[in-house]
Amino acid sequence: MANSNQQVKLSPEQVKKLQDQFSKLPPEKQAELLEKQCIFCQIARGNIETVKLYEDKNVVAILDIMPASRGHALIFPKKHSQFLFQVPDNVVSELFSITSKLSTYLVNEIKATGFNIIISNGASAGQRVPHLMINLIPRY
């Protein structure tokens, strides 16, 4: 039996069985389960300690715990959405407004000479966690 610090490895057959069971759930139940397990939803609810750069009723911006460079920020909606097209237009606008304000801070205050703005939608695009986020990566 694994202790709480060990990951349990499932066989391919067990994974397939779980995927089949999950796919048979109603969409609202699938969404509920995904949200409960999503690390970014947990951060948005305050269940995981982070360094928050910004927060309001719709959006959170935090420092990345595995930064690509000093000042790497993640900006994401509080409501669980995997893809950009699932986010309401007003929240998309807010996400990019906050990204713009944080990029100004990067240039003016921490003297970044440029920055990357990256959004990966879907595993095939490099999205590792199924919660939409904007990576704002300062460059020096």
Side-chain angles (χ1 to χ4, degrees):
M1 176 147 194
N3 70 35
S4 62
N5 293 330
Q6 293 178 326
Q7 275 192 323
V8 175
K9 297 287 185 184
L10 299 176
S11 70
E13 295 81 20
Q14 290 171 312
V15 170
K16 174 80 170 108
K17 184 177 178 182
L18 286 172
Q19 288 172 334
D20 289 344
Q21 289 174 335
F22 182 79
S23 69
K24 292 175 185 170
L25 293 172
E28 60 277 359
K29 188 65 175 173
Q30 289 181 11
E32 180 185 324
L33 288 172
L34 288 173
E35 190 173 324
K36 282 182 180 177
Q37 302 226 343
C38 175
I39 190 167
F40 291 99
C41 289
Q42 291 180 45
I43 290 169
R45 287 192 297 270
N47 297 340
I48 295 176
E49 200 171 315
T50 60
V51 177
K52 289 185 181 174
L53 303 172
Y54 177 85
E55 181 176 22
D56 65 23
K57 68 178 182 159
N58 296 316
V59 175
V60 176
I62 63 171
L63 286 177
D64 194 316
I65 63 168
M66 295 176 46
S69 72
R70 182 173 55 87
H72 181 172
L74 304 174
I75 304 97
F76 56 93
K78 285 185 169 181
K79 184 176 182 326
H80 187 83
S81 299
Q82 180 175 357
F83 299 103
L84 185 61
F85 63 80
Q86 296 171 323
V87 180
D89 289 344
N90 66 310
V91 178
V92 170
S93 177
E94 192 174 344
L95 285 166
F96 281 95
S97 175
I98 299 310
T99 300
S100 178
K101 289 174 182 164
L102 287 173
S103 65
T104 300
Y105 175 81
L106 295 176
V107 171
N108 292 334
E109 300 299 323
I110 65 172
K111 307 302 181 205
T113 57
F115 50 88
N116 296 103
I117 298 172
I118 301 169
I119 300 173
S120 300
N121 275 218
S124 62
Q127 187 179 28
R128 291 191 234 153
V129 176
H131 190 114
L132 174 78
M133 75 187 77
I134 299 172
N135 281 268
L136 179 59
I137 306 171
R139 301 301 182 184
Y140 303 94

